[in-house]
């Protein structure tokens, strides 16, 4: 767990002529201990020779970002948004272990998924959180070791990285307004919808939040719930590539007796609807999907269960229908 160095909050502007401003460093101090070492930051600005070409704003109010961006539109310069945190160690091995542990745990948290390490040095990390929701500027966290000189050196390296890569910083189109234009073209070229895998599922053996567990037998007692699962390929989306992208799959249920005549059909027994996770660019598995279904059969016999699935986002398109078959036996 990261621990943070408690420091005093302040507001600082490094003097610079408006026409000379190349970059704005906006640092937001937070109550959980993520605060910047002001003395080390000032020393790093001087160390890099950035007194005349940059300005620093240290605040506790996130609206300082908006205010600085508005000022930069008039005075010029690229705005970067930083958080600062301190790992209480001067041992590079311990520092590396703590940071790697944080990155590993973040990969399992949706809001932190996809963290990018921009600067990876033994005593310093600069970590970028990808844009989500309505965010319009990257959050870049400077992670330092527990020494004034090491913090100063890390701040200086982070400044240097920004000044050498100004195009990577500044306001962006809010994430929820970004569009992957290639997604629509990929959807147009999709092959027919297909079954990747299917299974009768043992719900009792499934761990909370875990993947489905395949049932060892296809024999059920009368009235016992039959749980079905299928992974699908090539399922289209309404508004593909946008934050509004969603899927809609109609299911017709067909149950056929195999040991004697008898067929029961239930058109539109269920319609699967859901929002797609917004990613820019859309991932390779963007058009994958899965469905689940479950019901019981009251009479003994041998049955074929068919889930006839229709991709409603692509009406009239050849290959937008697939049938997922299962065979079960029901006994007293």
């Amino acid at each position: 767990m990261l621990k943070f160095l408690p420091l005093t909050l302040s507001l600082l502007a490094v003097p610079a002529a408006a026409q000379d401003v190349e970059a704005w460093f906006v640092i937001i101090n937070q109550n959980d201990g993520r605060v910047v070492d002001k003395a080390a930051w000032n020393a790093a600005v001087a160390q890099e020779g950035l007194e005349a070409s940059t300005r620093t704003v240290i605040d506790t109010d996130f609206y300082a970002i908006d205010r600085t961006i508005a000022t930069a539109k008039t005075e010029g310069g690229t705005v970067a948004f930083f958080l600062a945190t301190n790992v209480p160690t001067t041992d590079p091995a311990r520092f590396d272990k703590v940071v790697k542990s944080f990155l590993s745990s973040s990969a399992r948290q949706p809001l932190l998924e996809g963290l990018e390490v921009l600067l990876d040095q033994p005593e310093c990390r600069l970590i970028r959180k990808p844009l989500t929701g309505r965010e319009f500027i990257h959050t870049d966290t400077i992670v330092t070791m527990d020494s004034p000189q090491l913090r100063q050196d890390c701040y200086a390296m982070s400044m240097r990285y920004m000044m050498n890569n100004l195009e990577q910083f500044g306001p962006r189109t809010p994430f929820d307004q970004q569009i992957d234009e290639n997604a629509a073209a990929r959807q147009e070229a999709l092959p027919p919808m297909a079954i990747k895998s299917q299974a009768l599922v043992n719900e009792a053996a499934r761990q909370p939040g875990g993947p489905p567990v395949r049932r060892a037998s296809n024999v059920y007692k009368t009235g016992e719930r039959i749980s079905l699962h299928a992974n699908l390929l090539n399922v289209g989306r309404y508004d593909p590539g946008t934050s509004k992208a969603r899927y809609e799959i109609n299911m017709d249920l067909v149950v056929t007796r195999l040991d004697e005549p008898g067929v029961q059909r239930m058109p539109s027994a269920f319609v699967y609807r859901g929002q797609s996770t917004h990613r820019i660019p859309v991932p390779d598995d963007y058009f994958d999907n899965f469905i689940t279904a479950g019901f019981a059969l009251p009479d003994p016999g041998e049955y074929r269960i068919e889930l006839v699935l229709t991709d409603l986002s692509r009406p009239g398109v050849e290959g937008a229908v697939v049938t997922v078959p299962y065979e079960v036996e029901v006994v007293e």
Side-chain angles (χ1 to χ4, degrees), residues 196-238:
K196 182 179 182 181
S197 64
Q198 65 196 88
L200 300 168
V201 174
N202 183 349
E203 293 290 358
R206 186 172 185 172
Q207 297 296 317
V213 177
R214 186 179 295 272
R215 198 173 190 270
S217 169
N218 71 335
V219 179
Y220 296 82
K221 293 182 179 180
T222 55
E224 183 181 359
R225 179 179 172 85
I226 301 169
S227 295
L228 313 171
H229 184 278
N231 290 307
L232 306 174
L233 301 172
N234 311 321
V235 179
R237 302 287 189 268
Y238 294 102

Side-chain angles (χ1 to χ4, degrees), residues 24-37:
W24 298 75
F25 307 127
V26 181
I27 307 167
I28 303 299
N29 286 332
Q30 299 197 280
N31 291 333
D32 60 5
R34 283 181 287 177
V35 295
V36 70
D37 181 337

Side-chain angles (χ1 to χ4, degrees), residues 126-253:
L126 180 61
I127 300 174
R128 169 165 290 181
K129 186 181 85 66
L131 296 178
T132 59
R134 303 181 69 179
E135 292 175 347
F136 59 89
I137 193 166
H138 289 293
T139 303
D140 297 320
T141 299
I142 304 170
V143 187
T144 62
M145 288 205 291
D146 199 17
S147 152
Q149 186 60 54
L150 291 176
R151 281 194 291 275
Q152 175 182 327
D153 292 342
C154 186
Y155 293 158
M157 284 187 278
S158 300
M159 295 174 191
R160 196 179 314 139
Y161 180 90
M162 179 190 173
M163 300 307 291
N164 290 334
N165 300 276
L166 288 175
E167 73 285 351
Q168 296 182 19
F169 294 83
R172 297 290 190 265
T173 301
F175 182 69
D176 61 2
Q177 297 177 25
Q178 294 181 22
I179 299 174
D180 184 344
E181 302 288 355
N182 292 325
R186 283 181 56 189
Q187 178 158 308
E188 286 290 330
L190 281 179
M193 189 159 61
I195 305 166
K196 182 179 182 181
S197 64
Q198 65 196 88
L200 300 168
V201 174
N202 183 349
E203 293 290 358
R206 186 172 185 172
Q207 297 296 317
V213 177
R214 186 179 295 272
R215 198 173 190 270
S217 169
N218 71 335
V219 179
Y220 296 82
K221 293 182 179 180
T222 55
E224 183 181 359
R225 179 179 172 85
I226 301 169
S227 295
L228 313 171
H229 184 278
N231 290 307
L232 306 174
L233 301 172
N234 311 321
V235 179
R237 302 287 189 268
Y238 294 102
D239 302 313
T242 75
S243 62
K244 298 179 180 179
R246 65 199 189 282
Y247 60 86
E248 193 167 324
I249 305 169
N250 181 80
M251 181 188 76
D252 298 336
L253 176 63

Side-chain angles (χ1 to χ4, degrees), residues 22 32 59 61 120 124 157 200 223 230 254 262 269 276 279 281 315 319 327:
E22 294 182 46
D32 60 5
D59 209 320
D61 179 7
D120 188 355
C124 179
M157 284 187 278
L200 300 168
V254 182
S276 296
R279 295 283 187 274
E327 290 191 4

